[in-house]
Amino acid sequence: MENKYIIRLIKDTAKFMELYGENDFKLRSYNSAVFNLEKLDVNLAELSIEELERIDGVGKSIAKIINEINETQNLAYYQELLANTPKGVQEMMKLSGFGPKKIKLIWEELKIETLEDIILACDSNKIAALKGFGDKTQEKLKMAALFKINSRHFLHFREAEKLGNMLVEDLKSLVGVENVSLTAELRRKMEVIKPIEILVATNDASQLRDYLRNSEMLDFYEKMSGPRNLRASHLTTMGEISIHICKPEQFFNELFRTTASPQHLAHPLDGAGNLMQLLKQQNFDSEEAIYEAVKLPFIAPELREGLWEFEWAKEGKMPDLIETGQLKGILHNHSTYSDGIHTLEAMAKYCKELGYEYLGISDHSKTAAYANGLQEFRVKEQQIEIDKLNAELGEFKVFKGIESDILGDGSLDYSEDVLASFDFIVASIHSQLNMDEKTATNRLIKAISNPFTTILGHPTGRLLLQRQAYPVNHEAIIDACAEFGVVIEINAHPYRLDLDWRYVHYAIEKGVKISINPDAHEKAGYHDMYYGVCVGRKAGLTAKDTFNALGKAELEKYFEKRKQVALSKA
């Protein structure tokens, strides 16, 4: 039982309590507990109820709740609240930017219980008439409802891959199954997935049907299934699942066909025809053999989008895609100095333990008060600790960084003398997200033009399946980074994956370096680097294009040179 699950359950319970008008004192006790638990560096599942009671901000009542979650993997009170709440209202509670009080008002005053009804009410101006809403809030609500409707049944890549791999292992164990693989968008490592697609080679599909019928975690859609395709959904995540069935001798043809996008399969080949037509002519014993048959080099699954891969292949310029093992260090990370869970020392030592050469610590800057952002005196305190750690950690190095807020006018969140005390600056937008394209683009370009900016962090602010990106002119932003020598981040957090891989490709073409950063707020967050690598690979990213594929000594020289240039311009 992970702390994240426990805390999320308590947080969600508090939201539904607020929906039902629970008293403020009880709500404060839940929210206070969440605040303190999010800072805790111990495994809650391993604590006794007496130990839980001694945690600041927890007390006896919350300790009992945590203990119940540990013992049952659930919370009866939360389930009771859910049982009393229509499914549509539960979905309304997930709308970005709208808390329980506003949802309660919509539900009780207008008797609205679905996202579709919210849109109808917006179109007839019923929402704007509610107390505390108005025209602008009504339009924002409509956009949020449309976004949520369009996101139904999609899963983040991380969640889909985890579930898909579990299903693959289960299916491999069935009698008569000769081969199994993830396929389609999941194999191409798209950022969000619907449905999870799996290819199974067997001469007897009855075992597959029995598995789906008897599974306690799946809902088998028997009436929607056919002889070559079985459909189901995952009961916990509501993720959709599609299982393709083929004969064993057809496996590689079908794996190729179901993996590639329609554009990849339909791309015209020299001498007429396309890959789809080739697959109909004979069965191949590997995907490599399919490309060999048309005199093309192997194209990695994640590149098979029908975009730029054939141009590379025909010109002999197929990139040697970045691998996780080629990354030498991890930049953009947080510690307990701001809103991280683990101390700076713990973050540094675990990074070293993972085999990296360096860590870039970049806690939040002072404007981010909600994240315990660092005032100037705390910047000095952290930098003193970094010097001590660097004296203790041998060849491993902690670089002094900050995630400086890009303020509303595009300026960075410290004076030049404070900015000059850092080795590097990650510049990011965290507030005033409701911008038009011109405002957002100009704000970012001003920050990019600041000589102290090293890396542009999560450039579009998106949260996949939760919050839309603010609109920007991607090409203008990337062109500015090329002009001012600013690195662009692929934020590897599975909910961000920002910059989008489609624009990472443009950045590479413009010669902009890419830094794969986990935005880790705890030690486990380092492992999200894998998802950033997936994004980079889809764009054709290589080690030579990757900023943090530089070794420690090279990075030291880069930071020092860039700082001297910045000081000369200050």
Side-chain angles (χ1 to χ4, degrees):
M1 182 64 62
E2 295 182 352
N3 284 12
K4 284 182 180 179
Y5 177 82
I6 295 169
I7 293 166
R8 170 55 61 188
L9 199 48
I10 296 171
K11 190 182 290 187
D12 287 347
T13 302
K15 288 179 180 178
F16 278 91
M17 288 164 58
E18 188 174 357
L19 178 71
Y20 282 99
E22 185 60 77
N23 70 73
D24 289 342
F25 176 79
K26 194 169 182 180
L27 282 172
R28 277 197 300 271
S29 71
Y30 274 67
N31 291 323
S32 174
V34 166
F35 178 81
N36 285 281
L37 292 172
E38 285 180 331
K39 293 286 186 181
L40 206 60
D41 185 13
V42 296
N43 190 340
L44 294 172
E46 296 176 355
L47 300 182
S48 67
I49 193 165
E50 291 78 17
E51 290 170 323
L52 290 168
E53 289 175 2
R54 291 196 288 269
I55 297 172
D56 288 342
V58 173
K60 290 186 177 181
S61 61
I62 303 296
K64 287 181 180 178
I65 287 169
I66 298 171
N67 192 59
E68 180 185 342
I69 297 170
N70 284 335
E71 290 182 350
T72 68
Q73 287 74 57
N74 219 317
L75 186 60
Y77 183 39
Y78 177 66
Q79 293 303 319
E80 179 185 332
L81 291 169
L82 283 185
N84 292 328
T85 310
K87 293 288 185 183
V89 176
Q90 293 179 33
E91 197 173 20
M92 288 160 56
M93 289 283 284
K94 297 176 182 177
L95 290 174
S96 177
F98 293 88
K101 288 182 180 177
K102 276 190 162 49
I103 299 303
K104 178 182 175 68
L105 194 62
I106 294 168
W107 183 21
E108 291 184 346
E109 294 292 322
L110 299 179
K111 310 302 179 187
I112 286 174
E113 295 188 355
T114 68
L115 296 178
E116 287 79 4
D117 284 344
I118 282 181
I119 293 169
L120 291 173
C122 288
D123 288 340
S124 58
N125 286 319
K126 291 180 180 178
I127 299 293
L130 290 173
K131 182 179 179 181
F133 280 80
D135 291 338
K136 287 185 178 180
T137 305
Q138 177 175 265
E139 183 60 22
K140 182 182 175 184
L141 178 65
K142 181 179 178 180
M143 292 300 102
L146 285 168
F147 181 74
K148 185 60 70 175
I149 288 170
N150 291 333
S151 299
R152 279 175 178 157
H153 305 296
F154 276 94
L155 299 180
H156 294 99
F157 172 75
R158 176 177 64 178
E159 194 172 27
E161 186 183 49
K162 183 178 179 181
L163 176 55
N165 284 333
M166 182 178 67
L167 292 170
V168 165
E169 291 306 308
D170 281 356
L171 294 171
K172 281 180 179 178
S173 67
L174 300 181
V175 175
V177 169
E178 297 193 20
N179 220 332
V180 185
S181 176
L182 299 176
T183 192
E185 292 187 345
L186 184 51
R187 190 166 181 239
R188 298 205 311 274
K189 295 179 168 56
M190 294 290 280
E191 56 270 47
V192 293
I193 304 297
K194 175 187 174 182
I196 294 171
E197 296 187 60
I198 298 172
L199 177 66
V200 180
T202 181
N203 286 311
D204 181 8
S206 61
Q207 292 277 355
L208 300 180
R209 292 178 180 276
D210 289 343
Y211 168 78
L212 294 174
R213 287 190 190 105
N214 298 328
S215 174
E216 294 182 356
M217 66 175 182
L218 302 175
D219 185 9
F220 179 32
Y221 300 152
E222 194 149 7
K223 291 183 179 178
M224 298 171 66
S225 299
R228 297 188 63 187
N229 181 259
L230 304 179
R231 300 183 63 182
S233 67
H234 186 236
L235 293 172
T236 303
T237 64
M238 301 305 293
E240 296 181 353
I241 297 158
S242 179
I243 299 176
H244 303 277
I245 304 167
C246 69
K247 298 293 183 183
E249 62 271 18
Q250 300 171 324
F251 180 75
F252 289 104
N253 282 47
E254 285 301 293
L255 181 61
F256 192 98
R257 183 187 66 79
T258 55
T259 294
S261 72
Q263 293 80 6
H264 185 89
L265 293 171
H267 186 87
L269 302 170
D270 292 340
N274 57 42
L275 288 168
M276 189 65 181
Q277 291 169 334
L278 175 67
L279 295 176
K280 295 177 180 178
Q281 294 172 17
Q282 68 178 92
N283 290 327
F284 292 87
D285 58 8
S286 71
E287 290 186 303
E288 288 81 358
I290 296 171
Y291 287 115
E292 287 172 5
V294 290
K295 296 180 173 56
L296 287 174
F298 179 77
I299 298 175
E302 49 265 61
L303 292 178
R304 299 177 197 170
E305 295 291 348
L307 296 173
W308 40 73
E309 67 271 25
F310 287 104
E311 181 181 341
W312 288 335
K314 291 173 183 177
E315 294 178 359
K317 297 180 180 179
M318 188 60 64
D320 187 7
L321 300 179
I322 185 73
E323 301 279 356
T324 305
Q326 293 176 300
L327 302 175
K328 304 301 183 185
I330 305 182
L331 303 169
H332 190 175
N333 306 282
H334 299 265
S335 72
T336 50
Y337 272 93
S338 62
D339 59 344
I341 290 177
H342 293 115
T343 65
L344 173 56
E345 181 180 9
M347 294 292 282
K349 288 184 175 178
Y350 188 59
C351 188
K352 181 181 180 182
E353 184 183 321
L354 291 175
Y356 291 101
E357 296 179 13
Y358 53 84
L359 168 70
I361 199 69
S362 48
D363 278 303
H364 285 284
S365 60
K366 62 181 180 180
T367 295
Y370 62 90
N372 195 29
L374 276 64
Q375 297 291 333
E376 285 83 351
F377 77 94
R378 296 184 63 231
V379 168
K380 292 180 180 178
E381 289 176 359
Q382 185 183 66
Q383 292 182 353
I384 290 170
E385 183 177 350
I386 290 173
D387 288 336
K388 289 179 180 177
L389 280 170
N390 283 334
E392 297 171 6
L393 294 174
E395 293 299 312
F396 184 85
K397 179 161 184 173
V398 180
F399 286 105
K400 300 169 184 174
I402 197 77
E403 186 178 16
S404 179
D405 265 36
I406 298 174
L407 305 181
D409 65 354
S411 60
L412 299 188
D413 190 17
Y414 288 114
S415 63
E416 288 181 345
D417 61 325
V418 176
L419 293 174
S421 71
F422 298 104
D423 294 313
F424 71 103
I425 310 291
V426 178
S428 306
I429 290 177
H430 292 106
S431 60
Q432 302 175 47
L433 303 181
N434 294 322
M435 302 175 283
D436 59 35
E437 183 179 302
K438 183 179 179 181
T439 301
T441 301
N442 289 340
R443 182 178 175 186
L444 285 166
I445 289 176
K446 183 175 178 182
I448 291 164
S449 68
N450 189 309
F452 287 101
T453 297
T454 318
I455 301 171
L456 179 61
H458 45 74
T460 70
R462 75 181 186 184
L463 290 175
L464 294 166
L465 305 182
Q466 295 181 37
R467 182 178 74 203
Q468 288 182 302
Y470 38 78
V472 299
N473 183 324
H474 287 85
E475 288 81 3
I477 296 300
I478 292 166
D479 290 346
C481 286
E483 179 183 352
F484 294 102
V486 170
V487 177
I488 295 182
E489 170 180 88
I490 293 175
N491 190 295
H493 191 287
Y495 287 14
R496 288 192 184 272
L497 302 183
D498 183 15
L499 186 64
D500 187 291
W501 60 270
R502 298 158 185 85
Y503 294 103
V504 172
H505 177 74
Y506 180 77
I508 296 168
E509 287 189 322
K510 290 295 181 177
V512 176
K513 291 289 186 183
I514 302 296
S515 184
I516 298 174
N517 298 330
D519 199 355
H521 286 67
E522 58 181 320
K523 293 185 294 185
Y526 292 154
H527 299 289
D528 287 343
M529 292 289 278
Y530 163 74
Y531 304 106
V533 168
C534 292
V535 171
R537 287 174 64 88
K538 286 194 69 60
L541 186 67
T542 67
K544 71 178 179 62
D545 303 315
T546 306
F547 186 59
N548 51 323
L550 293 174
K552 181 187 70 172
E554 294 174 284
L555 203 65
E556 284 177 325
K557 290 177 183 177
Y558 180 94
F559 285 154
E560 184 57 35
K561 182 179 180 180
R562 187 161 181 84
K563 184 186 291 190
Q564 293 306 316
V565 171
L567 288 170
S568 71
K569 295 179 179 179

